[in-house]
Amino acid sequence: MNYKFKELPATWVLIGINVVVFLMMTLAGGSQNIRVLIRFGANFAPYVSMGQYWRLFTAMFLHIGLEHLALNMLTLYFLGASLEPLLGTARFTALYLVSGVCGNAASYALTNGLSAGASTALFGLFGGYLMLGESFRSNPYVRMMARQFLVLVILNLGFDLLDSGIDIWGHVGGLFGGFLAGYAFGAPKLGSVPRWKRILGAVTILLFLLIMFKSGFIYSYFKV
């Protein structure tokens, strides 16, 4: 697949931002340098608890090492090529960003380590596709792709459990946020999503973020 910018504007812009930030981090001392990561906005619970909530947003644009960046950007390209045309640029972008924040909020609440990467948002794109599969089962293409992505999600979460260095809570939070955001934003190009599902999706996201914020703040000083 070789998509031009005008076909996938959001996907290419997001890839571009991630690459530029990585280059800036490299010039600033290295993307694997802890001080550089914190300075550029990595997700770190003690700092978030001090009021630096913007880290839940900026962390999705940082990567730890070239391999980390390359793998995530390749995944973003293929997911974007499949999902952005179905949702439209605005909804795709909103889904990506909301999912990233949800994933980082879960990581903040349930871990105490430093985390960064687009994977929270990428799992949200998986979640968005699962929503499409549930809502538009009569569409054979969407149903087939949703099943394939479900298998990928299960495999990825299984590998996460075997690797202590991976932020599984960030992935689960992103997946959950993306699934709900998919309902909240809808997919007019495919059909209508019931109004009650859209409202429920939006309200649940807000409640989820509120719970994660409160839990992270209350328990941040008791984490090991």
Side-chain angles (χ1 to χ4, degrees):
M1 295 185 293
N2 185 18
Y3 292 93
K4 297 180 180 180
F5 177 83
K6 64 180 180 180
E7 297 173 298
L8 302 173
T11 301
W12 282 117
V13 167
L14 289 170
I15 290 174
I17 292 173
N18 279 279
V19 171
V20 169
V21 171
F22 181 82
L23 293 175
M24 292 172 62
M25 292 174 66
T26 300
L27 294 174
S31 65
Q32 300 184 59
N33 185 304
I34 300 299
R35 291 184 179 181
V36 172
L37 282 163
I38 291 178
R39 176 180 160 195
F40 274 76
N43 186 12
F44 188 44
Y47 284 12
V48 176
S49 295
M50 292 168 59
Q52 298 181 12
Y53 295 110
W54 47 270
R55 291 180 178 276
L56 303 180
F57 178 85
T58 55
M60 74 178 87
F61 296 103
L62 311 182
H63 289 85
I64 306 172
L66 182 59
E67 183 180 352
H68 189 204
L69 172 73
L71 179 60
N72 277 350
M73 292 306 97
L74 185 62
T75 303
L76 173 55
Y77 175 76
F78 284 108
L79 281 173
S82 178
L83 194 54
E84 186 174 351
L86 295 178
L87 295 180
T89 297
R91 284 179 171 81
F92 175 82
T93 304
L95 176 66
Y96 185 92
L97 297 178
V98 170
S99 300
V101 171
C102 286
N104 287 326
S107 177
Y108 158 61
L110 300 169
T111 72
N112 200 36
L114 183 145
S115 64
S119 56
T120 53
L122 296 177
F123 266 83
L125 298 183
F126 284 129
Y129 227 120
L130 296 181
M131 182 284 297
L132 295 181
E134 189 280 324
S135 298
F136 304 104
R137 282 171 283 187
S138 60
N139 185 310
Y141 172 77
V142 171
R143 186 174 66 250
M144 176 191 69
M145 294 299 293
R147 287 176 177 173
Q148 291 180 359
F149 284 135
L150 177 59
V151 173
L152 285 175
V153 167
I154 293 173
L155 290 175
N156 272 280
L157 292 178
F159 287 130
D160 288 353
L161 291 172
L162 300 176
D163 189 340
S164 60
I166 293 180
D167 183 8
I168 187 172
W169 291 115
H171 292 177
V172 171
L175 179 69
F176 183 65
F179 186 77
L180 294 173
Y183 282 121
F185 298 139
K189 291 187 176 183
L190 291 174
S192 61
V193 175
R195 182 179 177 84
W196 69 269
K197 284 189 176 183
R198 298 190 65 180
I199 294 175
L200 182 62
V203 170
T204 305
I205 287 175
L206 293 176
L207 289 175
F208 172 76
L209 289 174
L210 179 61
I211 292 171
M212 292 299 101
F213 289 155
K214 291 295 184 180
S215 299
F217 179 79
I218 292 172
Y219 296 111
S220 63
Y221 297 105
F222 300 96
K223 297 172 185 174
V224 178

